[in-house]
């Protein structure tokens, strides 16, 4: 529910929940907590899914994995969005939330998508190469910045170019150039 705070100078005088449609106050609230915006909640179910998915993707967890330890304890860890698919049973797209909605794109959208996908693949391959080189050298997983780093597969975190083409097939493409003669 949305909240309305009444202020008296620098002091909060009252906090009230209200109906956004009518703007009418529904109840007084004693307090509330503002949490950082995040793509997931660290509740019992998501932590359990993360732990199971992490072990399935990367094997038995050895001590000293700060990401795994932080999530297991219900704490946030810097960059943990890189493992977003492990918190959910299924990753949704904007198209799942707005089926049949009209989509508009810049005329460079597909090109930008291709370039971004190449960049993501390059980063992933670099991380995998570091991880594999370290494993051969020391029989341990690579540590980046003092922490174990296991990258999730690209296809679990992003939709591929083929799926993007299918999802955006009906999109209206905006262009600064006029249509050729004879094309409406």
């Amino acid at each position: 529910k949305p909240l309305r705070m009444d202020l008296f100078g620098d002091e909060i005088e009252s906090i009230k929940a209200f109906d956004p449609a009518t703007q009418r106050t529904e109840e007084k609230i004693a307090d509330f907590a503002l949490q950082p915006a995040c793509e997931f909640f660290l509740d019992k179910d998501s932590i359990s899914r993360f732990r199971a998915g992490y072990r399935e993707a990367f094997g038995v967890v050895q001590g000293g994995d700060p990401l795994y330890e932080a999530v297991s304890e219900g704490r946030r860890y810097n960059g943990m969005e890189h493992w977003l698919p492990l918190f959910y049973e299924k990753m949704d797209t904007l198209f799942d939330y707005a089926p049949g909605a009209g989509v508009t794109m810049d005329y460079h959208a597909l090109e930008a998508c291709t370039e971004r996908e190449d960049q993501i693949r390059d980063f992933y391959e670099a991380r995998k190469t570091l991880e594999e080189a370290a494993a051969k050298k020391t029989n341990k997983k690579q540590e980046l910045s003092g922490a174990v780093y296991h990258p999730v597969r690209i296809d679990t975190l992003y939709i591929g170019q083929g799926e993007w083409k299918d999802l955006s097939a009906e999109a209206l493409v905006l262009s600064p150039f006029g249509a050729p003669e004879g094309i409406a």
Side-chain angles (χ1 to χ4, degrees):
K1 290 183 177 181
L3 299 177
R4 180 177 292 127
M5 291 189 290
D6 295 324
L7 302 174
F8 184 75
D10 292 343
E11 300 290 320
I12 297 174
E13 192 171 78
S14 66
I15 306 169
K16 300 172 188 166
F18 67 94
D19 180 337
T22 65
Q23 297 293 309
R24 298 186 137 218
T25 298
E26 292 183 340
E27 62 183 308
K28 275 189 129 175
I29 305 292
D31 58 25
F32 71 97
L34 289 174
Q35 299 293 328
C38 189
E39 289 83 2
F40 54 87
F41 295 106
L42 284 174
D43 58 17
K44 186 175 140 184
D45 292 337
S46 68
I47 290 170
S48 177
R49 279 190 301 272
F50 172 86
R51 289 170 50 93
Y54 197 88
R55 289 188 308 266
E56 184 180 319
F58 309 118
V60 176
V61 178
Q62 305 296 323
D65 187 331
L67 168 68
Y68 189 83
E69 291 171 6
V71 173
S72 295
E73 295 169 6
R75 293 184 291 113
R76 299 203 178 279
Y77 186 79
N78 192 24
M80 62 197 295
E81 292 80 9
H82 291 232
W83 294 272
L84 195 60
L86 302 179
F87 289 94
Y88 292 98
E89 293 174 14
K90 174 187 175 287
M91 294 284 287
D92 294 324
T93 70
L94 182 60
F95 298 100
D96 295 316
Y97 288 97
V103 176
T104 60
M105 294 188 302
D106 180 87
Y107 67 105
H108 286 302
L110 189 55
E111 181 181 327
C113 178
T114 301
E115 289 176 13
R116 181 67 174 146
E117 188 174 0
D118 290 344
Q119 184 181 39
I120 290 165
R121 190 166 315 288
D122 286 347
F123 285 138
Y124 176 79
E125 293 301 328
R127 288 178 176 135
K128 288 303 286 181
T129 299
L130 283 171
E131 182 181 51
E132 291 164 4
K136 287 178 186 175
K137 190 186 236 184
T138 63
N139 288 330
K140 292 182 179 179
K141 296 292 182 184
Q142 173 63 26
E143 295 185 12
L144 300 174
S145 301
V148 176
Y149 189 94
H150 303 290
V152 295
R153 288 187 348 260
I154 296 169
D155 64 328
T156 64
L157 192 54
Y158 300 97
I159 61 173
Q161 197 171 34
E163 187 178 358
W164 170 251
K165 283 181 183 176
D166 292 343
L167 290 171
S168 62
E170 300 295 319
L172 173 64
V173 178
L174 303 176
S175 173
F177 306 106
E181 285 188 34
I183 297 178

